[in-house]
Amino acid sequence: MFKFAYLLLLAVCLVSGSTAPATRSVSNVSGAGAAYFIIDDPAEKVVSLNIASDGRLGPFARVVDAGGIGMRATHITPPGKPAALFSPGPDPLFTQGAVRVNQNAGILVTVNPGSNTIALFRIDRQDPTKLTSIGKAVNSGGEFPVSATINSKGTVACVLNGGAVNGVNCFDVDPVRGLAAKKNTQRFLNATQTTPPTGPIGSLSTITFSPDESKLLVAVKFLDENTNGFQGYVAAWNVANDGALSKDHVKSFPEDPTRGPFTLVNIPGSNAYVAADPTIGLVTFDFGNSSSLAATGVSFEIQNQVLNCWTVYSPKSKNFYTIDPALSIVNEVHYDNKLKPTLVRQYPQLAESTTLDAEVAIVKGHAYLYVLQPNTTSITVLDVDRPARASHVQTFDLAPALREAGLRSWSKQHKIGAFASTKLAHFTADKLNFQGMATFIKS
């Protein structure tokens, strides 16, 4: 899989795709949009990066305080998984959706796990790297918030809490005053957890609205205490016209209960969802019709996979891309009109880079996939316009940009590890708590 010739070619691409050192002066920057993720330093920060008209990132980074302190979950190595990824591991939340953007409303929502809050920001439409806080970060209604979602109008945001007090809670979005708790939306899952939570087994993953916003869905990597393994499910609540959630939720388990759904991404034109699953590859949850709260879950094995966790969709290639951090691979998957998945192609990234959260953005009519790679302090950009033809565009070295932006962890530069001889080096840091990936593209 990782042939020497491929890695040599990739290394050449990485060097050619690197950028000049970042500068603190970031005014009057033109570009097509911005990409966002969160990091602890040690307080929670939102990092924004310029997206150019050709899809490339950089050269600078902006950093804004998210209004909370950083905290990471406790990594426990699952049976049969590589221990190196779980000691402590670069993903602090075991989740997808820690940062969410609503394009229409021009807002960003993110979680503050250590403070049990969520924060709202306004995106500058002329320079989307500029974020302005709207109101103060508000209590999430639980402990250790891990994922958020925003409705299509940008008027409601919901959060998934993953600690000892876990469940969902929703907020009205006021463009001036900020977030306000919404009545009849706090619902509990009562999973057995701690604050901070342990995982990935036993942790909560992702929250999302259904396309018609009639349901609120959550993926749970539940812990089977009898086998110390996965017994994951999807929880679903009805959403009333006034935004209130049904009192009770319905749990949908895969046909093989020893699964741990990590993500929920809608399959366009259906009431079904792709859930990346670290136990097998992925699971398809099909609700059948828009009114059903119960889904059937069918597993699909990705051969030789180790830990598929994140999933995104490209409307240009009409395929899904699932991310395996253990192998640092992007898997391209196609669904036919009968919801049958097929593995189309695999795209190895830089070895040991630990590919994490990803997002697809349409820039000037082209689809680009942005993949966070914390173990090489980088983000790789792939062109995903055509099926089975994803191509490398850039690997952006974050370390100079983060250092110039003033993040404490990058104030000292030390090249270490397997990448010490390359231009894209792994820099020591107090923590490698990277999470989330979202984009905003100018209209």
Side-chain angles (χ1 to χ4, degrees):
M1 187 177 298
F2 294 102
K3 295 181 179 179
F4 175 78
Y6 180 90
L7 290 178
L8 181 60
L9 177 61
L10 182 59
V12 173
C13 292
L14 294 180
V15 172
S16 65
S18 63
T19 63
T23 63
R24 293 185 185 276
S25 178
V26 295
S27 61
N28 300 318
V29 174
S30 61
Y36 314 93
F37 64 93
I38 56 174
I39 189 171
D40 292 352
D41 192 62
E44 200 76 57
K45 311 285 188 185
V46 182
V47 178
S48 59
L49 301 164
N50 184 63
I51 296 177
S53 59
D54 62 358
R56 290 173 176 260
L57 296 172
F60 66 87
R62 289 186 190 270
V63 177
V64 61
D65 197 319
I69 60 173
M71 180 184 289
R72 70 179 305 142
T74 303
H75 286 67
I76 304 295
T77 303
K81 300 299 182 181
L85 283 176
F86 299 93
S87 54
D91 58 319
L93 305 180
F94 316 127
T95 186
Q96 181 161 310
V99 181
R100 294 287 194 188
V101 163
N102 182 284
Q103 183 79 27
N104 295 327
I107 59 172
L108 178 148
V109 171
T110 190
V111 297
N112 285 313
S115 302
N116 302 334
T117 62
I118 62 172
L120 174 68
F121 294 88
R122 181 182 300 108
I123 299 170
D124 187 314
R125 292 184 181 275
Q126 298 304 310
D127 180 359
T129 64
K130 293 182 180 179
L131 299 175
T132 303
S133 60
I134 305 175
K136 295 182 179 180
V138 300
N139 190 284
S140 66
E143 296 181 3
F144 206 83
V146 293
S147 180
T149 190
I150 309 171
N151 70 346
S152 59
K153 293 181 179 180
T155 56
V156 176
C158 297
V159 64
L160 173 63
N161 290 296
V165 181
N166 50 76
V168 302
N169 200 19
C170 298
F171 301 82
D172 288 314
V173 176
D174 186 293
V176 176
R177 291 174 292 182
L179 300 169
K182 193 172 185 63
K183 292 182 179 180
N184 298 318
T185 62
Q186 186 174 30
R187 301 291 183 260
F188 297 102
L189 285 163
N190 297 317
T192 302
Q193 259 298 353
T194 57
T195 301
T198 58
I201 292 178
S203 64
L204 285 72
S205 288
T206 305
I207 184 170
T208 188
F209 284 107
S210 61
D212 64 1
E213 299 178 357
S214 67
K215 293 189 290 289
L216 186 67
L217 309 173
V218 166
V220 180
K221 305 181 294 294
F222 196 66
L223 176 65
D224 183 345
E225 296 180 354
N226 295 321
T227 64
N228 196 36
F230 285 109
Q231 191 183 29
Y233 62 87
V234 170
W237 290 264
N238 269 320
V239 180
N241 291 334
D242 63 356
L245 301 181
S246 54
K247 182 179 179 180
D248 299 314
H249 62 276
V250 174
K251 296 179 182 179
S252 295
F253 292 87
E255 57 183 2
D256 182 342
T258 60
R259 299 286 174 241
F262 199 102
T263 61
L264 287 172
V265 180
N266 178 250
I267 301 173
S270 76
N271 292 302
Y273 297 80
V274 180
D277 193 305
T279 70
I280 191 169
L282 60 87
V283 177
T284 306
F285 285 92
D286 185 6
F287 285 86
N289 61 72
S290 60
S291 62
S292 175
L293 289 181
T296 57
V298 180
S299 301
F300 175 74
E301 182 178 5
I302 295 178
Q303 292 292 328
N304 302 316
Q305 79 97 37
V306 177
L307 210 70
N308 275 282
C309 294
W310 292 271
T311 305
V312 291
Y313 175 75
S314 169
K316 302 293 283 188
S317 70
K318 301 188 185 305
N319 285 342
F320 293 85
Y321 299 84
T322 65
I323 313 299
D324 188 332
L327 298 178
S328 296
I329 276 182
V330 176
N331 298 286
E332 183 177 356
V333 177
H334 176 73
Y335 274 81
D336 64 18
N337 56 12
K338 295 184 179 180
L339 300 180
K340 179 181 178 181
T342 302
L343 179 63
V344 175
R345 191 174 174 183
Q346 294 179 305
Y347 305 95
Q349 303 306 300
L350 190 66
E352 301 179 24
S353 61
T354 312
T355 46
L356 296 185
D357 300 60
E359 176 77 318
V360 170
I362 306 299
V363 182
K364 302 296 182 181
H366 295 282
Y368 296 98
L369 173 64
Y370 299 89
V371 185
L372 192 61
Q373 299 176 127
N375 274 3
T376 50
T377 322
S378 64
I379 297 175
T380 280
V381 186
L382 300 177
D383 182 316
V384 288
D385 265 354
R386 296 171 292 175
R389 299 286 297 275
S391 60
H392 180 269
V393 174
Q394 176 198 26
T395 292
F396 178 65
D397 184 359
L398 281 164
L402 296 178
R403 189 166 57 248
E404 289 299 321
L407 287 188
R408 190 184 73 176
S409 296
W410 277 267
S411 59
K412 295 182 180 180
Q413 175 180 335
H414 301 286
K415 295 182 180 181
I416 62 173
F419 307 101
S421 62
T422 70
K423 192 170 183 179
L424 184 72
H426 174 187
F427 291 82
T428 57
D430 295 336
K431 298 179 181 179
L432 285 176
N433 290 12
F434 292 82
Q435 197 79 82
M437 180 58 68
T439 60
F440 178 92
I441 305 301
K442 293 181 182 178
S443 58

